[in-house]
Amino acid sequence: MNGNDDVSVTTGYGTSVHRLTALPRDLHGRNPILFWTATGNAVLGLGFLVGLAVDPSVVNGESAWLKPTKFAVSICLFTATLAWLTPHLTVSRRFRRSSSWAIAGALGIEIVAIAGQAARGTRSHFNYATTVDTAIYVTMGAVIVAMTLLVAWLFVRATRNGFDVHPAFALGITLGGGLFVVGAFEGQVMGVLNTNSVGSGYTLPAVGWTLVGDFRVAHFAGLHALQVLPLAGYVAARAEQQGRITAPRKVVWLVGGLYAGLLLLAFSLALAPLVA
């Protein structure tokens, strides 16, 4: 660990098991900025669900409020996860706080832009129809790229400083952060191509994405590495503590390798129509 006095020290990888009802209080104590960002988006998501039920407006063949709902849920999950992880990221309190405000601000701009375009009955993404639409879309893209770079720098600095948690949990955080950034930037391919799908065929249930030629599959898989791999590291560390396994880091490397393979496969399938 960095010996700087301004580096916060956390308590480790699991000194107690919190009841579900205690989770909001725990997240608030870990990172109130990101906790309130997650809470705000949870509330917005409920509001957008009302829009789904009462507003007949349709954009691109689906309810105008479906995209804001999905993004609100995604932002809620992302910021709640980051709120849980940030005490374990060994960076200065000042950098952690300023990063949290920047992330909250960027995601605030994103959800307001998406909801605003839904209220106007038009697309938020790949929309160059008017000067206003272009400005909104370009701003969203620039803000998210900047935020992703900030998250990457946050994880790089924390990894360089070392972690004050079990090595398996630390590895899970590192791999999860790295694959999250990869998945986030895979999403930028959609911006370059000005579409999220270049293929057709089998449609995945629930989400409506095509298995081949759709970059949203790889993007989704990459973003959720931030939940899957730190959790795998946490569980492996607990399992070693309880005497159930003896090589927790190997388990995390295995899970990380499988997840990276899944991410590569999804991205390869998305590219397939372009290289066939």
Side-chain angles (χ1 to χ4, degrees):
M1 269 186 66
N2 190 324
N4 191 320
D5 291 337
D6 197 29
V7 172
S8 63
V9 178
T10 54
T11 57
Y13 67 89
T15 56
S16 64
V17 178
H18 294 282
R19 297 190 304 262
L20 184 61
T21 54
L23 182 60
R25 184 171 64 249
D26 183 31
L27 291 179
H28 181 272
R30 286 169 174 261
N31 190 318
I33 298 167
L34 294 180
F35 165 79
W36 286 114
T37 304
T39 301
N41 277 276
V43 172
L44 285 174
L46 293 174
F48 297 150
L49 283 174
V50 175
L52 278 170
V54 304
D55 187 351
S57 300
V58 174
V59 175
N60 278 358
E62 61 185 27
S63 171
W65 296 102
L66 181 59
K67 180 166 285 188
T69 302
K70 292 191 292 187
F71 269 79
V73 172
S74 179
I75 291 171
C76 176
L77 183 58
F78 167 63
T79 50
T81 302
L82 209 53
W84 178 56
L85 290 177
T86 45
H88 302 304
L89 303 181
T90 49
V91 296
S92 69
R93 288 186 176 89
R94 177 180 298 178
F95 181 59
R96 183 161 55 211
R97 182 176 177 81
S98 61
S99 297
S100 297
W101 275 116
I103 291 167
L107 294 173
I109 292 171
E110 183 84 352
I111 196 64
V112 167
I114 293 170
Q117 291 294 75
R120 295 177 65 216
T122 190
R123 295 180 299 163
S124 54
H125 292 72
F126 317 119
N127 189 349
Y128 300 97
T130 68
T131 303
V132 171
D133 293 324
T134 300
I136 290 173
Y137 179 48
V138 170
T139 299
M140 287 170 54
V143 165
I144 290 304
V145 168
M147 189 207 76
T148 303
L149 290 172
L150 174 60
V151 172
W153 182 229
L154 178 64
F155 276 91
V156 167
R157 285 186 59 170
T159 302
R160 281 168 44 183
N161 289 341
F163 295 92
D164 57 353
V165 295
H166 189 286
F169 188 19
L171 178 61
I173 294 172
T174 300
L175 295 178
L179 290 180
F180 167 84
V181 172
V182 170
F185 278 112
E186 282 182 349
Q188 300 307 313
V189 176
M190 294 184 278
V192 173
L193 297 175
N194 200 34
T195 183
N196 51 39
S197 180
V198 293
S200 60
Y202 176 75
T203 300
L204 296 171
V207 293
W209 305 335
T210 56
L211 183 61
V212 177
D214 200 323
F215 291 93
R216 289 172 293 185
V217 180
H219 186 51
F220 177 89
L223 295 183
H224 288 288
L226 191 64
Q227 286 86 43
V228 173
L229 293 174
L231 181 60
Y234 178 87
V235 171
R238 293 284 291 177
E240 186 197 38
Q241 184 188 48
Q242 294 165 1
R244 289 184 286 145
I245 61 175
T246 58
R249 279 175 55 87
K250 289 183 179 179
V251 172
V252 179
W253 275 117
L254 176 61
V255 175
L258 291 172
Y259 203 95
L262 173 65
L263 185 57
L264 178 61
L265 175 62
F267 191 62
S268 299
L269 289 173
L271 287 174
L274 297 176
V275 299

PDB file of all heavy atoms in Angstrom, residues 199-204 209-212:
ATOM      1  N   GLY A 199     -26.453  -6.956 -37.863  1.00  0.00           N
ATOM      2  CA  GLY A 199     -26.843  -8.297 -38.265  1.00  0.00           C
ATOM      3  C   GLY A 199     -28.292  -8.580 -37.931  1.00  0.00           C
ATOM      4  O   GLY A 199     -29.011  -7.743 -37.380  1.00  0.00           O
ATOM      5  N   SER A 200     -28.725  -9.765 -38.260  1.00  0.00           N
ATOM      6  CA  SER A 200     -30.073 -10.219 -37.955  1.00  0.00           C
ATOM      7  C   SER A 200     -30.010 -11.721 -37.701  1.00  0.00           C
ATOM      8  O   SER A 200     -29.013 -12.378 -37.997  1.00  0.00           O
ATOM      9  CB  SER A 200     -31.026  -9.906 -39.109  1.00  0.00           C
ATOM     10  OG  SER A 200     -30.603 -10.555 -40.299  1.00  0.00           O
ATOM     11  N   GLY A 201     -31.089 -12.246 -37.165  1.00  0.00           N
ATOM     12  CA  GLY A 201     -31.102 -13.674 -36.874  1.00  0.00           C
ATOM     13  C   GLY A 201     -31.734 -13.943 -35.531  1.00  0.00           C
ATOM     14  O   GLY A 201     -32.688 -13.262 -35.136  1.00  0.00           O
ATOM     15  N   TYR A 202     -31.175 -14.925 -34.799  1.00  0.00           N
ATOM     16  CA  TYR A 202     -31.759 -15.320 -33.519  1.00  0.00           C
ATOM     17  C   TYR A 202     -31.773 -14.133 -32.557  1.00  0.00           C
ATOM     18  O   TYR A 202     -30.767 -13.451 -32.369  1.00  0.00           O
ATOM     19  CB  TYR A 202     -30.963 -16.477 -32.907  1.00  0.00           C
ATOM     20  CG  TYR A 202     -31.460 -16.867 -31.536  1.00  0.00           C
ATOM     21  CD1 TYR A 202     -32.640 -17.585 -31.373  1.00  0.00           C
ATOM     22  CD2 TYR A 202     -30.745 -16.498 -30.400  1.00  0.00           C
ATOM     23  CE1 TYR A 202     -33.106 -17.936 -30.120  1.00  0.00           C
ATOM     24  CE2 TYR A 202     -31.198 -16.842 -29.136  1.00  0.00           C
ATOM     25  CZ  TYR A 202     -32.384 -17.566 -29.002  1.00  0.00           C
ATOM     26  OH  TYR A 202     -32.840 -17.892 -27.756  1.00  0.00           O
ATOM     27  N   THR A 203     -32.922 -13.884 -31.965  1.00  0.00           N
ATOM     28  CA  THR A 203     -33.083 -12.778 -31.020  1.00  0.00           C
ATOM     29  C   THR A 203     -33.079 -13.304 -29.598  1.00  0.00           C
ATOM     30  O   THR A 203     -33.824 -14.239 -29.266  1.00  0.00           O
ATOM     31  CB  THR A 203     -34.401 -12.034 -31.292  1.00  0.00           C
ATOM     32  OG1 THR A 203     -34.386 -11.518 -32.628  1.00  0.00           O
ATOM     33  CG2 THR A 203     -34.571 -10.874 -30.318  1.00  0.00           C
ATOM     34  N   LEU A 204     -32.253 -12.713 -28.760  1.00  0.00           N
ATOM     35  CA  LEU A 204     -32.175 -13.123 -27.365  1.00  0.00           C
ATOM     36  C   LEU A 204     -33.454 -12.722 -26.636  1.00  0.00           C
ATOM     37  O   LEU A 204     -33.946 -11.598 -26.821  1.00  0.00           O
ATOM     38  CB  LEU A 204     -30.969 -12.474 -26.692  1.00  0.00           C
ATOM     39  CG  LEU A 204     -29.603 -12.897 -27.244  1.00  0.00           C
ATOM     40  CD1 LEU A 204     -28.506 -12.025 -26.642  1.00  0.00           C
ATOM     41  CD2 LEU A 204     -29.336 -14.363 -26.948  1.00  0.00           C
ATOM     42  N   TRP A 209     -32.112  -8.391 -28.298  1.00  0.00           N
ATOM     43  CA  TRP A 209     -30.888  -8.203 -29.089  1.00  0.00           C
ATOM     44  C   TRP A 209     -30.630  -9.449 -29.922  1.00  0.00           C
ATOM     45  O   TRP A 209     -30.958 -10.566 -29.511  1.00  0.00           O
ATOM     46  CB  TRP A 209     -29.695  -7.946 -28.175  1.00  0.00           C
ATOM     47  CG  TRP A 209     -29.871  -6.803 -27.241  1.00  0.00           C
ATOM     48  CD1 TRP A 209     -30.690  -5.716 -27.402  1.00  0.00           C
ATOM     49  CD2 TRP A 209     -29.224  -6.627 -25.971  1.00  0.00           C
ATOM     50  NE1 TRP A 209     -30.594  -4.871 -26.319  1.00  0.00           N
ATOM     51  CE2 TRP A 209     -29.696  -5.403 -25.423  1.00  0.00           C
ATOM     52  CE3 TRP A 209     -28.293  -7.365 -25.256  1.00  0.00           C
ATOM     53  CZ2 TRP A 209     -29.260  -4.931 -24.202  1.00  0.00           C
ATOM     54  CZ3 TRP A 209     -27.853  -6.895 -24.026  1.00  0.00           C
ATOM     55  CH2 TRP A 209     -28.339  -5.691 -23.517  1.00  0.00           C
ATOM     56  N   THR A 210     -30.019  -9.253 -31.081  1.00  0.00           N
ATOM     57  CA  THR A 210     -29.666 -10.406 -31.903  1.00  0.00           C
ATOM     58  C   THR A 210     -28.336 -10.982 -31.427  1.00  0.00           C
ATOM     59  O   THR A 210     -27.450 -10.253 -30.986  1.00  0.00           O
ATOM     60  CB  THR A 210     -29.560 -10.025 -33.385  1.00  0.00           C
ATOM     61  OG1 THR A 210     -28.620  -8.957 -33.539  1.00  0.00           O
ATOM     62  CG2 THR A 210     -30.913  -9.596 -33.928  1.00  0.00           C
ATOM     63  N   LEU A 211     -28.218 -12.304 -31.511  1.00  0.00           N
ATOM     64  CA  LEU A 211     -27.016 -12.974 -31.015  1.00  0.00           C
ATOM     65  C   LEU A 211     -25.803 -12.637 -31.870  1.00  0.00           C
ATOM     66  O   LEU A 211     -24.691 -12.489 -31.356  1.00  0.00           O
ATOM     67  CB  LEU A 211     -27.240 -14.489 -30.994  1.00  0.00           C
ATOM     68  CG  LEU A 211     -26.095 -15.337 -30.439  1.00  0.00           C
ATOM     69  CD1 LEU A 211     -25.818 -14.972 -28.980  1.00  0.00           C
ATOM     70  CD2 LEU A 211     -26.424 -16.824 -30.566  1.00  0.00           C
ATOM     71  N   VAL A 212     -26.001 -12.490 -33.183  1.00  0.00           N
ATOM     72  CA  VAL A 212     -24.918 -12.190 -34.121  1.00  0.00           C
ATOM     73  C   VAL A 212     -25.117 -10.794 -34.692  1.00  0.00           C
ATOM     74  O   VAL A 212     -26.211 -10.448 -35.135  1.00  0.00           O
ATOM     75  CB  VAL A 212     -24.865 -13.229 -35.263  1.00  0.00           C
ATOM     76  CG1 VAL A 212     -23.781 -12.863 -36.268  1.00  0.00           C
ATOM     77  CG2 VAL A 212     -24.634 -14.625 -34.711  1.00  0.00           C
TER      78      VAL A 212
END
